[in-house]
Every structure is written in C-alpha cells, then in structure tokens.
Amino acid sequence: MDAVGFDKHDHSACIDDMIAVAEAYCVANKLQFTPTRRRVLEFLLEDHRALGAYDILERLVEEGHGSQPPVAYRALDFLVKHGFVHKIERLNAYIACAHPHEKHSPAFMICRLCGSVAEASTPAKKLLDQAAKDVGFNIECTIVEAEGLCPKCTTEGASV
Amino acid sequence: MDAVGFDKHDHSACIDDMIAVAEAYCVANKLQFTPTRRRVLEFLLEDHRALGAYDILERLVEEGHGSQPPVAYRALDFLVKHGFVHKIERLNAYIACAHPHEKHSPAFMICRLCGSVAEASTPAKKLLDQAAKDVGFNIECTIVEAEGLCPKCTTEGASV
DNA sequence: AGTTGAATGTAATAGTATTACATATCAGTA
DNA sequence: TACTGATATGTAATACTATTACATTCAACT
Ligand SMILES: [Zn+2]
Ligand SMILES: [Zn+2]
Ligand SMILES: [Zn+2]
Ligand SMILES: [Zn+2]
C-alpha cells in the first residue's frame, strides 16, 4: 500500500498529471470539465490537504466566480461523483483523490494536529463485505477514516 | 460478529440493561450520570437508530430542559467520550453503542432507504494499523461506515 | 431560429456545531 | 459551617456546513 500526504513528492508534476487524467477521462466519457470544475480540482491538488467547501468558495470568489455556496458544492459534487475527489466525513472537507480511476475503496489517515490527510488503499472493503454478508446487508460504498498523529507530529510532539 | 439494528430483540430489557451498565460504569469511575445524560441515552436506546443532535434537543425541550444546542451537545459529548454512544459521521447523527465497554472498533452499516443502522465489530483497527505503520502514522481512533441497503430494503425494493 | 439539456448566478433557507458568559450544584476542606 | 474549586447547566449569540428554488446562460442538435 502507498500513501500521498506524508511524503514529499514532485508536486507540480503531480498536479499536471492529475489534471491530465481528469481531462482525458472527461473527454472519453463526454463529461464537461468546465473551468470552475478544473479550478476546484487544482485548488485541492495544490494544497494536497482537505479543504472545506467554503474555503474553496472563497478562492473561487477571488477569481470572479459566483459567490453563493452552490457554486462550490456543484463543482465538488461533480468531482466526487466521478472519482476525482473524496469527501472526508470526519472533517466535512474534500480532498483530491490520489489514485483516480484505479477503482478503489479509499482509507484516510487524518492528523488531528496538523490536519494533513493521507489516502491509502486497503482491503477494508473485503473485510466489511464478509461482515455485511453475515447480516444480509448490501454495501454500496464504504467510509474508512483513521484519526491520530502523522509521522511529523508524532516525533515533534513526543510530549503530547 | 453480531449486529443490533436489523434484527428484532427484547427491547425493554435491552434498554434497562444498557442503562444499568452505564450507571454501574459511572459509579465505578466517579462519573456523574446526570438526569439529562441518562435521558439522552434512553432516547437513543428507545429508537435504536441514529438521532441528530437537534432531534434530541427537541425531546429534551419537551421535558422541560434547556432549549439551546449545548444542552444536547454536552450530553452527547459525555456519552460519546465514555463509550456509551457513537457518532455516525456520514449522518451527523448519534446512536447508542451496542457493546458498551467491550473495547471495540465499531463499524456501521447504514441503510440509505430506511435509515436503520447496525453496529458490528470488525478487525478494521488491526488492518489499518498495519497500513498506518507502513507510513509512520499513529492511529488513535477509527471510523468505519458502510452505506447501502439493509436486508429488508434489499428484498422490498428489488425494483430499485 | 427553435428546442433541449446541462451548467451557472443568486437569494433564501435549512441543518449542524461552537463560543462565551452567567448561574447552579456538589465534594472536599479549612 | 463556610469556603473553595471542579463540574454541570442555562442561555444568547454566532459560526460553520449544506440544500432548495428559480432565473439565466450556453452549447448541441434539429
Ligand atoms: Zn481515491
Ligand atoms: Zn501532523
Ligand atoms: Zn459500540
Ligand atoms: Zn433499510
């Protein structure tokens, strides 16, 4: 398993790659990768951390887009629906997917101090599937999030 | 693994038992199981489904308690902190724990049609711990929720 | 040009949660 | 008993998150 979020990496390439993937996917599936949608994905890729819908709205406003919540929520809904972005339920925030369209059940590790978030792929889905089968429940999607301390905050705050 | 939520069971005994467990725990740990806290736990046990903080507040008001949000949130914070209640992040709602103080990492199955919620115990923590260790993350708590269709809604809505 | 469906702009409102400060209650102690 | 500190409650105000509704714009197709 791998993770993006706690390690340094070639970030400009990272953004370009992800945008390219999204664009190609939209073209292939006749989806409209509009300026607003593209910009929101860029914001999330730039920060590489979870942003609230209103953080995003704020930035959109600065660039001249509409100033009402639906402007942000619509773009986010699109990006989530098509797998470019995940919602972090624990934070009511959104983060760019680290493995777009590799068909996965994401798991997130959320640092409660610095707020960084790493996405991992785990067999958690498999695990729940068995538990679900036992009671006859039909899983459609899973949410797996862990809260704790990231490597950096663990060492820094040995006193915490 | 077992689940409460999709099966019928002796409910009055269920409530009494849970309240007794909570009371005993509070006495043993010098915690104050105040009337408000007890009542909130009873509401959650009675319904055996997830209730929003404002649903709970509404009921408290009917019984003469304070009418401001902190009245509900404080009781919920206490109950969550001491393991009598879990928060369902996906629903922004709260549900009574089905296994109080059996030290567990709960997993929830949430029916998107009827809203029923079942709590299961899974080894998700173990699983995530390995993934976390790989990247140096220190897990403090886990959130595992699955959304889908419960047995009843699966059969009823074969057309959905 | 006319029709359609998707996307956007905007206002209003709904739903969830916290901060701040005053008051009350209770346990332990002088 | 009176004082003290910690805990719990009452209340007002505010902050944060999200949806509904309706008008408008735009591109694609006929
Ligand atoms: Zn992903
Ligand atoms: Zn950190
Ligand atoms: Zn539980
Ligand atoms: Zn159901």
Side-chain angles (χ1 to χ4, degrees):
Chain A
M1 79 130 249
D2 60 347
V4 174
F6 300 146
D7 297 314
K8 296 297 176 205
H9 54 284
D10 183 347
H11 204 51
S12 60
C14 169
I15 296 179
D16 293 347
D17 287 356
M18 294 294 182
I19 293 289
V21 168
E23 185 149 34
Y25 180 88
C26 287
V27 168
N29 293 81
K30 298 198 203 312
L31 299 171
Q32 300 186 44
F33 196 48
T34 64
T36 307
R37 291 166 177 177
R38 171 191 295 258
R39 207 70 194 93
V40 170
L41 182 53
E42 284 172 353
F43 291 149
L44 291 170
L45 287 166
E46 276 165 21
D47 275 54
H48 236 315
R49 64 187 182 84
L51 295 179
Y54 282 74
D55 295 330
I56 289 167
L57 179 58
E58 197 176 327
R59 301 198 193 186
L60 287 173
V61 170
E62 285 170 6
E63 298 188 2
H65 295 78
S67 63
Q68 299 301 314
V71 173
Y73 282 105
R74 283 169 184 154
L76 288 168
D77 286 348
F78 173 88
L79 294 169
V80 168
K81 181 177 177 186
H82 294 101
F84 303 122
V85 166
H86 299 294
K87 178 174 184 183
I88 310 292
E89 298 289 344
R90 181 59 177 257
L91 302 176
N92 292 319
Y94 303 82
I95 193 166
C97 175
H99 316 280
H101 299 112
E102 292 173 23
K103 182 103 182 157
H104 60 301
S105 299
F108 299 96
M109 295 181 243
I110 306 164
C111 179
R112 71 171 156 80
L113 284 186
C114 69
S116 66
V117 176
E119 176 178 355
S121 291
T122 78
K125 181 96 183 334
K126 282 261 161 45
L127 191 97
L128 278 173
D129 266 337
Q130 184 52 53
K133 200 164 294 179
D134 292 345
V135 295
F137 186 86
N138 215 293
I139 294 179
E140 290 171 350
C141 78
T142 59
I143 297 164
V144 178
E145 300 173 9
E147 193 174 62
L149 292 181
C150 74
K152 182 165 137 291
C153 292
T154 298
T155 54
E156 281 181 7
S159 57
V160 182
Chain B
M1 84 131 244
D2 59 347
V4 174
F6 300 145
D7 297 313
K8 296 297 177 204
H9 55 283
D10 183 348
H11 204 52
S12 60
C14 170
I15 295 179
D16 294 347
D17 288 356
M18 293 295 183
I19 292 290
V21 168
E23 184 149 34
Y25 179 88
C26 287
V27 168
N29 294 81
K30 298 199 203 310
L31 299 171
Q32 300 186 43
F33 196 49
T34 64
T36 307
R37 291 166 177 177
R38 171 191 294 259
R39 206 72 193 93
V40 170
L41 182 53
E42 285 172 351
F43 291 149
L44 291 169
L45 287 166
E46 277 166 19
D47 274 54
H48 236 316
R49 65 187 181 85
L51 295 179
Y54 282 73
D55 295 329
I56 288 166
L57 179 58
E58 196 176 328
R59 301 197 194 186
L60 287 173
V61 171
E62 285 170 7
E63 299 187 1
H65 296 78
S67 64
Q68 299 301 313
V71 172
Y73 283 105
R74 282 168 183 155
L76 288 168
D77 285 348
F78 173 89
L79 294 169
V80 167
K81 180 177 177 184
H82 294 102
F84 304 120
V85 166
H86 299 293
K87 179 174 184 184
I88 309 292
E89 298 289 344
R90 181 59 179 257
L91 302 176
N92 292 320
Y94 302 82
I95 193 166
C97 175
H99 316 280
H101 298 112
E102 292 173 22
K103 184 102 181 158
H104 61 300
S105 299
F108 299 96
M109 294 180 245
I110 307 163
C111 179
R112 72 170 157 79
L113 283 187
C114 69
S116 66
V117 176
E119 176 178 354
S121 291
T122 78
K125 181 97 181 338
K126 282 260 162 45
L127 193 96
L128 281 172
D129 264 337
Q130 186 51 55
K133 202 165 291 179
D134 292 345
V135 295
F137 186 86
N138 215 293
I139 294 179
E140 289 171 351
C141 78
T142 58
I143 297 163
V144 179
E145 300 173 8
E147 194 174 62
L149 292 181
C150 75
K152 183 165 135 289
C153 292
T154 299
T155 54
E156 280 182 6
S159 56
V160 182

